[in-house]
Amino acid sequence: MTDEELAKDLGLVSAMTIGIGTMIGAGIFVLPGVAAQAAGPIVVVSFVVGGLVAMVNALSVSELGTAMPKAGGGYYYVNRALGPLFGSIAGMGDWMGLAFASAFYSIGFGQYLATLAPMPSVLFLTDVQVGALFAGAAFVLVNYVGAKETGGVQTVIVTLLLGILTLFAVRGWLAFDAATLLGTDGVAPMGYGAILPGTALVFVSFLGYAKIATVAEELKNPGRNLPIAVIGSVAIVTVIYAVLVSIMLGVVPWTDLSTSAPLTQATEVAFAGEYGAIAVGIVTVGALLATASSANASILASARINFAMGRDGIVTDWLNDIHPKFATPYRSIVVTGAMILAFIALLGQDLEVLSKAASVLHLVVYALMNAALIVFRETDAPEYDPDFTVPLYPVTPILGVVLSLGLLAFVGLRELALSAVFVVGSVLWYVAYANRHTEGQGLLGRHVSAGTQGEESVATTPDADAGPTVMVALSNPRTEGPLMTLAGALAKAKGGTVFATHVVQVPDQTSLAAAAERRRGVMDESERLLAEAREDAERFDVPVETRTILSHQGVAEVFDAARDHEADTLIMGYGGTRLAGGRAEGTLDELAQSLPCDVLVLNERSFDPSEVLLPTAGGYSSDLSAEVARALRDAVGANVTLLYVADDRETGRAFLGEWAAEHDLDDAEIRVETGAVEPAIRRAAADRTLVVVGATEQGLLSRVVQGSLALSVLENLDASVLLAERPTSRSLRERLFR
């Protein structure tokens, strides 16, 4: 049986942008106009107070998340600490809250869409609702088929949004007028008592940080990155809200601020002139991106919560079946999508209802999470070992409970009644269904639930005493044999082990734990591939370990796995990496970090290692090429030919003779060519079966401008080509220009 590993493939930046991207969509592009009409200019303080309430809760979320980085976030913590009754309330509340929030974001998308492409009204639906329904259906479809949302895509979206908002902030500040902000009735025309009702209205703007906890089990170094991402995203977004809402109200009087597209209106006023139309267009596109990103992230998070509830028996596990083609929890996504579309159709004409309902349900969950933290601490649960602890315990979680429940008093009777229906419904669901399907009483009942530990298999790093580790990244059966031949030969020459991995890419909508538990459909191909790899490695009489790695990043996970498992050499196919001008790194990766170890990239064409050509002009990567050539000579009897392209043949022969002696290749054939390098390599490779070439030492900009010898050789020879690169320390200047 092949070992299985869940990748930790979300970094700090990706995690923070999940939170920031979701929060920005609501707080800036949708709510300022509605909130200003409800509270006046003092609504700026409402946003700040909302940020402070969120920050208290964020501290508790950070402790819980570092203690138990599991899919499901708040539901998981409440269920473990308070038991399945409160777990049902938290899970259902979180699920429904996300559905309300997604409907709210979709309405925001529809409002900005209407400024670009007016939609028709249909029956009792307004044009905005029609646009929102189309958008909501599209978001559900995107999640159904498993399109990317987290990680790099979200980072790009957030970067664009911050750039757009910075553009508005600079120009808006120049157009800012304090008299416009204060108006004729001062900062609080409705009284200072409007602050907390305003906070209750805008609190939906701060729900994004909790989504980070739902992907906690996939964070790299969660003990450090989770609290920084959660707390940092709340702090950054609170400052953005305070600054930008103040500028909006200083550009457009609060009484006139649009309740449908407030930022577009403020931009039009701030950029009055020849660039106004362009600026408005940019902001509108930003609003569409922001609201779409927020809706997508909410649907994605709801699927994670449903998986966690299904795993514990709170809801039927039927919801979590994985689609055979798309590998997504399609039933969960469809059910959630149906609720979102229903909320858009039935409640979409009143943005306050959607925003407050989402806020109320999440506030209930936050109060329960703070209570769960106290239970974990006071029961001294042995499995509870957080890397981050809240300051001023127990004041902080108690304050979180008080603030979360206290804010409910200001949301309005209609929203409270609507949310109470869901809470009562959750209790009835527990009595009628969950009580008969879930086990355990929770720590509050002094009993630790059975079977909630060890749901994922995390294998250990190959034994360091077994010698150097040669890691192979396999992607398809066609290239498995050649890659394992290289790995076996190198491992035998080094006296090391082969570590064969197959990275299975899982859609973001499916938690890695869900994919692991429903491993049959996902893992059958991987099992077959790695079984063949074991057989191929055994003929070299070297130890071999196989591992399937479930990851959301796919190929990008390979380098991380090499670092995590302390590989000495990484071997992968040409189709399994992106070559940046003859290097094994991607273009941006090359500027940001070094290779994790020696890297070999094979471009295989009817792989036959019997006749090896090794072009060399010296250099650190040529040393690695020599190691490969020696290993193939000793393991499979390869004939090695050394090639040097020189202006003078005698000088070339002298260089190659000395180089061969230094690298234990005295028995290799020596060949010297004159003229241009690439044609010379092509002539020499005509009767060879494998060309081993060291990566170029040119810097990024030099290779972009001049092209790359290594890359053109890889793509234009008839023989199989192996690109060898050895990591080296280079400054940013060297990476750019050398």
Side-chain angles (χ1 to χ4, degrees), residues 194-219:
I195 292 175
L196 291 180
T199 300
L201 173 59
V202 304
F203 193 75
V204 68
S205 306
F206 294 94
L207 303 184
Y209 71 89
K211 292 178 177 60
I212 300 172
T214 67
V215 296
E217 68 180 344
E218 294 153 27
L219 280 179

Side-chain angles (χ1 to χ4, degrees), residues 23-56:
M23 289 187 277
I24 284 179
I28 292 301
F29 293 101
V30 179
L31 277 179
V34 175
Q37 301 305 313
I42 200 71
V43 75
V44 175
V45 179
S46 297
F47 275 100
V48 174
V49 172
L52 293 177
V53 174
M55 183 61 73
V56 174

Side-chain angles (χ1 to χ4, degrees), residues 65-83:
T66 60
M68 297 170 294
K70 300 290 184 180
Y75 156 75
Y76 183 86
Y77 315 137
V78 173
N79 192 60
R80 294 284 292 120
L82 304 180

Side-chain angles (χ1 to χ4, degrees), residues 324-586:
K325 178 179 179 181
F326 302 122
T328 58
Y330 64 105
R331 288 172 177 166
S332 171
I333 291 169
V334 168
V335 172
T336 303
M339 290 192 299
I340 292 169
L341 297 180
F343 293 157
I344 292 172
L346 299 176
L347 304 172
Q349 294 184 28
D350 193 337
L351 207 60
E352 282 195 42
V353 174
L354 293 175
S355 63
K356 286 184 177 180
S359 295
V360 167
L361 291 171
H362 280 88
L363 285 167
V364 171
V365 175
Y366 293 154
L368 291 174
M369 288 171 63
N370 281 285
L373 187 152
I374 295 173
V375 170
F376 279 120
R377 288 280 198 105
E378 296 304 315
T379 57
D380 198 23
E383 73 273 23
Y384 190 76
D385 184 23
D387 293 313
F388 170 88
T389 55
V390 297
L392 302 176
Y393 177 86
V395 174
T396 300
I398 292 175
L399 187 61
V401 173
V402 172
L403 291 175
S404 297
L405 295 181
L407 201 55
L408 296 180
F410 300 94
V411 298
L413 291 178
R414 180 178 51 177
E415 290 77 16
L416 272 180
L418 182 62
S419 302
V421 168
F422 283 104
V423 173
V424 172
S426 299
V427 174
L428 294 176
W429 176 264
Y430 169 76
V431 173
Y433 178 86
N435 188 41
R436 296 183 289 107
H437 293 84
T438 188
E439 299 178 1
Q441 301 299 315
L443 290 176
L444 191 61
R446 302 295 180 180
H447 296 287
V448 178
S449 299
T452 57
Q453 297 299 309
E455 68 271 0
E456 60 193 52
S457 169
V458 180
T460 57
T461 303
D463 187 357
D465 296 333
T469 298
V470 179
M471 175 178 162
V472 188
L474 302 174
S475 58
N476 65 71
R478 189 182 67 82
T479 57
E480 175 271 323
L483 294 176
M484 291 304 296
T485 297
L486 289 169
L490 275 175
K492 186 170 185 177
K494 294 171 175 282
T497 62
V498 173
F499 177 44
T501 64
H502 181 212
V503 178
V504 176
Q505 186 162 2
V506 176
D508 284 344
Q509 290 73 13
T510 305
S511 76
L512 298 182
E517 289 195 4
R518 289 153 181 78
R519 62 196 310 274
R520 178 176 299 176
V522 176
M523 300 288 290
D524 283 350
E525 179 186 351
S526 187
E527 289 280 3
R528 289 192 296 269
L529 181 64
L530 292 177
E532 294 175 2
R534 283 193 297 272
E535 293 177 4
D536 285 333
E538 286 170 358
R539 62 192 174 94
F540 291 96
D541 194 26
V542 295
V544 59
E545 178 182 351
T546 58
R547 186 77 49 83
T548 297
I549 301 176
L550 302 180
S551 169
H552 289 304
Q553 291 196 58
V555 173
E557 174 61 27
V558 172
F559 278 14
D560 286 339
R563 291 187 182 91
D564 292 343
H565 295 279
E566 299 179 354
D568 298 273
T569 306
L570 168 64
I571 303 175
M572 59 198 308
Y574 180 52
T577 186
R578 296 177 181 178
L579 298 179
R583 302 187 70 85
E585 301 161 283

Side-chain angles (χ1 to χ4, degrees), residues 99 111 151 160 188 214 218 238 241 259 338 380 395 408 460 511 584 652 678 697 707 734:
Q111 289 175 336
L160 288 172
T214 67
E218 294 153 27
T238 301
Y241 288 165
T259 57
D380 198 23
V395 174
L408 296 180
T460 57
S511 76
E678 288 193 51
E697 295 183 41
E734 290 174 321

Side-chain angles (χ1 to χ4, degrees), residues 235-253:
I236 291 170
V237 167
T238 301
V239 172
I240 290 174
Y241 288 165
V243 171
L244 292 184
V245 174
S246 296
I247 291 175
M248 271 192 247
L249 296 177
V251 172
V252 179

Side-chain angles (χ1 to χ4, degrees), residues 295-319:
N296 260 353
S298 297
I299 296 170
L300 184 151
S302 71
R304 306 295 181 86
I305 294 166
N306 285 341
F307 163 68
M309 289 195 293
R311 179 172 57 191
D312 295 333
I314 299 293
V315 298
T316 172
D317 212 24
W318 175 87
L319 280 174

